[in-house]
């Protein structure tokens, strides 16, 4: 349960991240904190040590983002939220690449990119849209 954050957008384009209402402008930082769990908060995702080929042992988050939207959610709101989720993962990848290779992810070699993708996976699960008005 602690390894999953549910991000919901309702038909009025209101956003929930976990159990808290939030604004799209705050979502990226909330997701970055969730995935990185910098203070080993027992309410945030566990980390497991994995062996990454050509790199060595690395602590990797078990965090998963579950994106759910209503059939009435506007396309604009959906894309804005999706962009923030991807931005959060990309920033974490840049931070990892800078710390370990001295440059951002986009400037990494293919081998370095493979290491970064394993160390900072993009685990975003999208559920089928629901029509809450029919419940």
């Amino acid at each position: 349960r602690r390894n999953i954050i549910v991000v919901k957008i309702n038909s009025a384009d209101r956003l929930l991240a976990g159990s808290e209402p939030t604004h799209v402008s705050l979502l990226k930082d909330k997701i970055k904190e969730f995935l990185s769990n910098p203070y080993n908060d027992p309410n945030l995702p566990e980390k497991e040590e994995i062996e990454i080929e050509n790199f060595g042992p690395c602590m990797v988050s078990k965090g998963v983002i579950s994106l759910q939207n209503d059939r009435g959610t506007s396309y604009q709101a959906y894309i804005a939220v999706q962009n923030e989720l991807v931005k959060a993962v990309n920033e974490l990848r840049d931070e990892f690449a800078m710390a370990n290779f001295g440059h951002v992810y986009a400037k990494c070699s293919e081998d370095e990119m493979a290491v970064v993708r394993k160390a900072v996976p993009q685990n975003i699960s999208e559920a089928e849209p629901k029509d809450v008005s029919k419940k």
Side-chain angles (χ1 to χ4, degrees), residues 1-98:
R1 175 165 240 140
R2 74 183 259 196
N3 293 334
I4 298 174
I5 187 168
V6 177
V7 176
K8 292 183 183 180
I9 319 165
N10 71 12
S11 59
D13 292 346
R14 292 227 163 66
L15 181 61
L16 272 177
S19 57
E20 301 172 17
T22 192
H23 189 270
V24 71
S25 65
L26 303 173
L27 185 60
K28 175 182 58 94
D29 290 334
K30 183 171 184 68
I31 294 301
K32 279 180 69 176
E33 181 182 2
F34 172 80
L35 291 175
S36 62
N37 190 3
Y39 306 109
N40 290 318
D41 183 327
N43 299 312
L44 295 178
E46 300 167 87
K47 294 177 187 175
E48 72 175 330
E49 186 173 86
I50 66 165
E51 186 71 28
I52 299 177
E53 191 177 335
N54 301 322
F55 185 74
C58 184
M59 295 303 287
V60 177
S61 174
K62 290 184 171 186
V64 175
I65 304 158
S66 174
L67 177 57
Q68 301 174 3
N69 61 290
D70 185 273
R71 289 192 203 286
T73 301
S74 76
Y75 182 71
Q76 182 179 359
Y78 170 77
I79 291 299
V81 167
Q82 197 176 50
N83 285 344
E84 291 303 303
L85 299 178
V86 171
K87 226 186 272 183
V89 172
N90 287 342
E91 282 190 16
L92 289 171
R93 286 179 171 176
D94 278 345
E95 290 167 11
F96 181 89
M98 282 299 294

